[in-house]
Amino acid sequence: MNQNDRVVCEKAILVGLNADCFKPEETATYETLDELEALLETAGGTCAAKVLQNRHAPDPHSFIGEGKVQEICELLETTQANLVIFDNDLSPSQIRALEDLTGVTVLDRSALILDIFAQRAKTAEGRLQVELAQYQYLLPKLSGMGRSMSRLGGGIGTRGPGETKLETDRRHIRERITKLQQELDEVRQVRAVQRERRIKNSVPVVALVGYTNAGKSTILNQLTDAGIPANNRLFDTLDTTTRRLKVSDHLEVLLSDTVGFIAKLPHHLIEAFQATLEELKYADLLLHVIDASDPQREAHIEVVDKLIAKLARPDVPVLRCYNKTDMLDDISDFPVGEKNIPMCARSGIGMDELLTRIEETLLGVLHHTVLVLPYSEGGVLEILHNQAQVLRVDYIAEGIEVETICSDELYGRYRKFEKEPEK
């Protein structure tokens, strides 16, 4: 279902419907049309014009009404555009009616996002997730996709007890969806094994989350020299990248990037990327990266906060990283504090502060301590090696001196061996 060949270098009319009966996440505004334009540019196209229609309810046939469709037809002729993209999700019958009325290809927001995802996915897992999302998008639309999807109507090869092409397509897609879900379940199992190993080794996980193009990849590159692309466009990085990060002499973590969020992100995309996004459930700390220069900053913060509430553990600490502060004239009234860090990741400003906050936050959850184990309790050392982060072991007259970073549970169990502070 890849639309690359018809989106690249094409001119499009962008259309949105603001209807009184829509939920806030369903309606279109000038702001969401601006974001749709950025998505189009990411896909390789250019915007010829934008049209926002206000109605009490969508037209059942043409969605925006015959008069507005005629206006779009005139724009297509004057701008030489050959594509119409809607900011709203359309039904199959609406797409077919609009294509008949305009004479050009009509896409909706979900189809455009899927096209971008198909271009961006590089790893085998990423491609699996994109293909699953594409098929889940396509399946309910088959019945309204016109005569080209069916072989009904008579003629050689169409008579007899055979299946229609539409029924064959449905069956093929369902079978493919099942296979893709099985393959992604295998990916989840591999991740679960890796996760158990991390827990066993007591390596905390820090996950970068945020609105697309907020600067997550730039932060990952600055802190770990990951070398992943960090361009100024939406969904530039789709595949998850994890790198080891030495926060300080006492703390090492795994820093993981995630796919960027976006307003009106289709539900089936979140479902398809569950194998990746479920990492948020197991993160010990989330870094919510925010584009400080974004005019829609507060609305985008709300989008990400809602998804964090849905996908992450309720008790996970969150640090807000206000990136791109170099693009602001004044940051004197900017939120600054233990959980709010102004920064410019591109130039490295704020990275030291971020590392300090990561350490303070995680060591507030974990315990950095020195234990002196009696030689008769040597088995505890093996437990610490398996379930905690052991920084140093010294064999002294009093016993085995172990510097460790451990969980609350381990700390409570072996606190009786904690070394007395020197006076």
Side-chain angles (χ1 to χ4, degrees):
M1 201 190 65
N2 196 332
Q3 310 280 354
N4 288 359
D5 55 337
R6 65 182 185 184
V7 173
V8 173
C9 299
E10 287 194 286
K11 292 172 66 176
I13 307 293
L14 305 184
V15 184
L17 176 61
N18 177 22
D20 299 333
C21 65
F22 280 168
K23 297 176 182 177
E25 63 270 18
E26 295 174 337
T27 199
T29 64
Y30 287 114
E31 288 76 17
T32 63
L33 282 175
D34 288 342
E35 184 171 86
L36 189 66
E37 181 180 6
L39 287 167
L40 174 63
E41 290 172 355
T42 297
T46 59
C47 175
K50 297 177 192 171
V51 177
L52 182 65
Q53 169 71 317
N54 296 296
R55 287 175 62 99
H56 174 66
D59 183 276
H61 178 62
S62 63
F63 193 67
I64 53 174
E66 304 289 336
K68 191 60 71 171
V69 172
Q70 184 56 42
E71 180 184 327
I72 290 169
C73 289
E74 293 169 3
L75 280 170
L76 286 167
E77 187 174 347
T78 56
T79 63
Q80 298 297 300
N82 57 353
L83 185 63
V84 176
I85 304 178
F86 277 75
D87 194 36
N88 317 80
D89 281 334
L90 301 174
S91 71
S93 60
Q94 288 166 340
I95 291 175
R96 183 174 55 183
L98 287 162
E99 288 187 339
D100 289 344
L101 290 166
T102 62
V104 300
T105 298
V106 175
L107 304 177
D108 60 13
R109 185 184 183 94
S110 291
L112 180 61
I113 292 174
L114 282 170
D115 180 84
I116 295 167
F117 275 35
Q119 293 181 47
R120 293 285 176 268
K122 304 300 182 196
T123 65
E125 179 189 348
R127 289 194 290 269
L128 281 175
Q129 292 175 128
V130 170
E131 187 179 354
L132 176 59
Q134 288 176 319
Y135 279 129
Q136 288 174 330
Y137 169 81
L138 179 61
L139 184 60
K141 295 181 179 291
L142 279 183
S143 60
M145 295 187 72
R147 291 186 299 274
S148 63
M149 294 301 293
S150 175
R151 291 175 58 201
L152 288 174
I156 297 173
T158 64
R159 289 182 288 266
E163 296 174 302
T164 66
K165 184 176 186 299
L166 181 57
E167 289 166 347
T168 306
D169 288 336
R170 276 205 191 97
R171 182 164 55 82
H172 167 74
I173 288 175
R174 287 195 183 101
E175 289 171 354
R176 185 62 182 153
I177 285 175
T178 300
K179 188 173 187 302
L180 288 167
Q181 287 172 332
Q182 289 171 347
E183 291 183 42
L184 284 170
D185 282 342
E186 292 174 8
V187 171
R188 285 194 181 97
Q189 291 170 13
V190 171
R191 285 184 183 277
V193 171
Q194 293 172 339
R195 196 178 297 122
E196 287 174 11
R197 192 178 299 127
R198 291 200 305 255
I199 293 170
K200 183 178 179 180
N201 294 333
S202 193
V203 181
V205 177
V206 179
L208 292 157
V209 297
Y211 210 79
T212 183
N213 202 35
K216 299 184 300 300
S217 297
T218 305
I219 291 177
L220 184 70
N221 286 338
Q222 274 286 355
L223 293 177
T224 68
D225 295 321
I228 58 177
N231 299 307
N232 185 27
R233 58 188 180 190
L234 304 185
F235 294 123
D236 192 59
T237 305
L238 187 60
D239 297 303
T240 300
T241 303
T242 301
R243 294 288 186 272
R244 191 171 285 269
L245 169 64
K246 185 175 181 180
V247 177
S248 69
D249 291 339
H250 307 297
L251 180 63
E252 203 170 66
V253 303
L254 291 177
L255 184 62
S256 184
D257 195 6
T258 61
V259 61
F261 297 136
I262 194 169
K264 298 162 73 172
L265 186 65
H267 178 73
H268 55 267
L269 283 182
I270 296 177
E271 289 298 311
F273 278 77
Q274 200 66 39
T276 299
L277 294 175
E278 71 176 4
E279 285 293 297
L280 298 182
K281 291 182 183 178
Y282 301 96
D284 300 288
L285 171 64
L286 298 181
L287 303 183
H288 178 178
V289 183
I290 300 161
D291 181 352
S293 66
D294 185 357
Q296 301 299 313
R297 183 179 73 206
E298 295 306 316
H300 292 171
I301 288 173
E302 185 178 353
V303 168
V304 177
D305 281 346
K306 285 181 179 178
L307 286 164
I308 287 174
K310 179 179 180 180
L311 298 168
R313 295 197 325 269
D315 59 339
V316 67
V318 180
L319 298 179
R320 287 188 172 184
C321 305
Y322 287 87
N323 191 29
K324 306 184 186 181
T325 52
D326 58 316
M327 300 176 68
L328 297 175
D329 294 330
D330 182 18
I331 62 169
S332 58
D333 61 345
F334 218 68
V336 179
E338 290 183 5
K339 297 186 177 181
N340 299 294
I341 308 158
M343 64 175 59
C344 174
R346 185 177 53 186
S347 59
I349 296 172
M351 293 299 103
D352 290 341
E353 175 71 12
L354 176 58
L355 291 174
T356 299
R357 296 297 180 203
I358 290 173
E359 182 175 27
E360 290 175 351
T361 304
L362 285 177
L363 292 184
V365 177
L366 303 171
H367 292 271
H368 178 209
T369 185
V370 177
L371 307 176
V372 179
L373 306 174
Y375 284 104
S376 60
E377 298 282 352
V380 174
L381 179 59
E382 184 179 358
I383 292 173
L384 292 173
H385 273 297
N386 287 334
Q387 300 181 28
Q389 193 171 341
V390 175
L391 304 176
R392 174 177 58 83
V393 178
D394 289 322
Y395 293 87
I396 59 177
E398 294 82 4
I400 308 169
E401 186 173 283
V402 186
E403 184 180 0
T404 180
I405 295 174
C406 59
S407 64
D408 266 336
E409 191 270 331
L410 283 177
Y411 179 70
R413 197 191 309 172
Y414 301 119
R415 186 175 182 177
K416 59 188 176 183
F417 299 124
E418 191 167 31
K419 184 179 180 180
E420 293 287 334
E422 295 181 3
K423 296 180 181 179

